[in-house]
Amino acid sequence: LFAQDLIPVSRDRAQVLGILARSQPLAYHTYLEEERHIPRSLIQSPRFVGKLRIDARRNVLFPHADQDGPCGYELKNKGFTGFSPGGEKGLWFSAANREDTALVIAESGIDALSYACVFPDTNARYASIGGAMNPNQPALISSAIEKMGQGASIILALDNDPAGRDLAVRIEALARATNRDDLTIRTHLPEGEGQDWNDVLRASRTPSPAQAPVAGL
């Protein structure tokens, strides 16, 4: 019954570093634009430029880092979602500026980008945990929160499902454990049960029947 918990997991940081070194910075990707409705203008903006990469198979990579540097990457492509073989989840980050007033924490890089589309904020930085938290990530999340400036907002932009709501409770507890009374901590879930922020973005970009073009015109 518990055999899956006993299977050893092989970690190979050198393999992860090698693949990241051979990957290229991502300027645009048809999967992101056509399937996920994330515009290239966002990918190429100062907040996100250079923060996504593309591998030899044209997969989109969201590189994760921990205290020791790059440690893995989220993998995304049409019909495919995964995490780097041999890698371990840390955090994926957008660019960070000294004047940032908000930190948005999402469950995936796609959701972080989607939230940035739905709620543009030039003073927000973004992070992804890549799904369920592993034992190393709470310390990374706490460190990211502690690095925010005075009076910053921590926005938990997670999925509206049991796992997302549980993550919100756990991350809020981490934020409050920093004893930063100046911080505003807000959980922001999509309205629809089971939705994530890319669902919200795609719904906002889909024409209603009244707006849809008529065939042949």
Side-chain angles (χ1 to χ4, degrees):
L1 181 62
F2 301 102
Q4 68 270 25
D5 297 327
L6 303 178
I7 298 172
V9 178
S10 175
R11 304 298 183 196
D12 190 345
R13 191 180 291 253
Q15 177 184 351
V16 169
L17 292 173
I19 292 174
L20 288 174
R22 292 189 295 273
S23 66
Q24 299 294 322
L26 180 70
Y28 72 93
H29 200 289
T30 54
Y31 158 73
L32 292 179
E33 293 187 297
E34 297 176 6
E35 298 288 328
R36 297 296 191 158
H37 292 199
I38 295 170
R40 68 184 68 185
S41 58
L42 183 75
I43 303 302
Q44 296 174 4
S45 69
R47 184 65 68 178
F48 297 107
V49 67
K51 298 302 180 179
L52 287 78
R53 303 189 70 82
I54 186 167
D55 67 11
R57 297 182 177 178
R58 294 198 56 77
N59 294 312
V60 179
L61 311 183
F62 291 82
H64 278 224
D66 59 15
Q67 298 94 331
D68 299 318
C71 58
Y73 46 85
E74 298 172 41
L75 277 161
K76 301 285 184 177
N77 211 331
K78 185 174 182 178
F80 174 72
T81 294
F83 201 79
S84 52
E88 188 168 17
K89 289 188 293 184
L91 292 178
W92 170 80
F93 275 109
S94 70
N97 301 318
R98 186 183 299 273
E99 62 271 19
D100 288 341
T101 58
L103 167 63
V104 178
I105 301 175
E107 288 191 47
S108 73
I110 293 288
D111 286 332
L113 295 174
S114 301
Y115 195 90
C117 287
V118 177
F119 301 102
D121 184 350
T122 57
N123 292 317
R125 65 182 65 165
Y126 300 82
S128 164
I129 60 177
M133 279 198 293
N134 67 25
N136 297 325
Q137 287 179 301
L140 298 173
I141 293 170
S142 295
S143 177
I145 292 170
E146 290 170 350
K147 289 176 181 175
M148 295 301 298
Q150 187 75 16
S153 296
I154 310 301
I155 301 171
L156 310 182
L158 305 167
D159 298 355
N160 190 359
D161 60 18
R165 292 189 287 271
D166 178 66
L167 275 172
V169 171
R170 295 176 64 190
I171 297 174
E172 180 175 350
L174 292 172
R176 297 199 183 284
T178 63
N179 294 319
R180 288 280 304 275
D181 294 336
D182 60 294
L183 297 176
T184 299
I185 305 164
R186 180 165 70 100
T187 295
H188 193 185
L189 307 182
E191 291 185 3
E193 176 70 27
Q195 284 193 327
D196 61 34
W197 284 107
N198 189 245
D199 294 328
V200 175
L201 173 63
R202 286 183 291 161
S204 73
R205 299 288 176 90
T206 301
S208 68
Q211 296 172 318
V214 178
L217 297 184

